[in-house]
Amino acid sequence: DSLILLLMNLCETLKELLVESADKSEVCNAINDKKLVSMYYAGDMTLNPGWRTIEPVAAGLTKLKGNRPGNGVVRAWQIDGATDRPRTMPGWRFFRLDRIRTWTPLLDTFSEARPKFNPTGDKSMYGNPWCITKF
């Protein structure tokens, strides 16, 4: 019986690890510190899950139908890695926090706003962002 209980606990722990998502405070720390981030993105409908290098600039909630709050997301300039849209690399991307499996801020930082950066928020987000890069 104790072995079965141990195995059940191990399975629950592994499930939690496998569905890990990026933490809101970790994301905002990287945004505020202008840190490049290496992340593993599993995506929802993505054809190419994998490692990406990004410059995260804003985080908040998506809009759902009826202008209701949706999922936690990060808006970022992707500079390298797996993508479903290679013709638009580097470029702007939206990443759902619950689809990010690994979030690792790097030592490198970024200092310039990319083209079409909106310093007041993101029209695809619900309300004001939780955090946004200041240039």
Side-chain angles (χ1 to χ4, degrees):
D1 286 335
S2 61
L3 181 58
I4 291 172
L5 185 59
L6 178 66
L7 289 173
M8 288 173 57
N9 287 337
L10 180 60
C11 285
E12 287 304 310
T13 301
L14 288 173
K15 274 192 229 175
E16 287 177 24
L17 290 173
L18 291 174
V19 295
E20 179 183 339
S21 63
D23 176 78
K24 177 181 168 181
S25 64
E26 291 175 343
V27 171
C28 283
N29 286 342
I31 289 170
N32 292 331
D33 296 341
K34 298 182 188 82
K35 294 276 189 179
L36 266 67
V37 170
S38 175
M39 66 170 195
Y40 187 91
Y41 190 65
D44 44 2
M45 300 297 288
T46 191
L47 300 173
N48 292 304
W51 290 98
R52 291 152 166 77
T53 303
I54 62 168
E55 296 174 358
V57 298
L61 296 171
T62 58
K63 287 182 185 176
L64 291 181
K65 290 181 181 175
N67 198 29
R68 294 176 299 134
N71 300 303
V73 292
V74 60
R75 169 67 75 192
W77 181 263
Q78 184 177 341
I79 57 176
D80 195 23
T83 182
D84 289 349
R85 298 178 291 165
R87 287 189 291 254
T88 60
M89 279 286 290
W92 290 110
R93 304 288 190 271
F94 233 12
F95 300 103
R96 282 182 45 176
L97 298 185
D98 64 339
R99 305 290 188 203
I100 297 171
R101 297 293 176 249
T102 304
W103 179 267
T104 307
L106 304 174
L107 295 176
D108 294 335
T109 59
F110 56 97
S111 59
E112 295 180 15
R114 298 297 184 166
K116 299 183 181 179
F117 170 71
N118 183 349
T120 61
D122 192 306
K123 66 182 178 186
S124 300
M125 287 185 181
Y126 176 83
N128 293 323
W130 299 325
C131 51
I132 192 162
T133 301
K134 308 260 187 293
F135 289 102

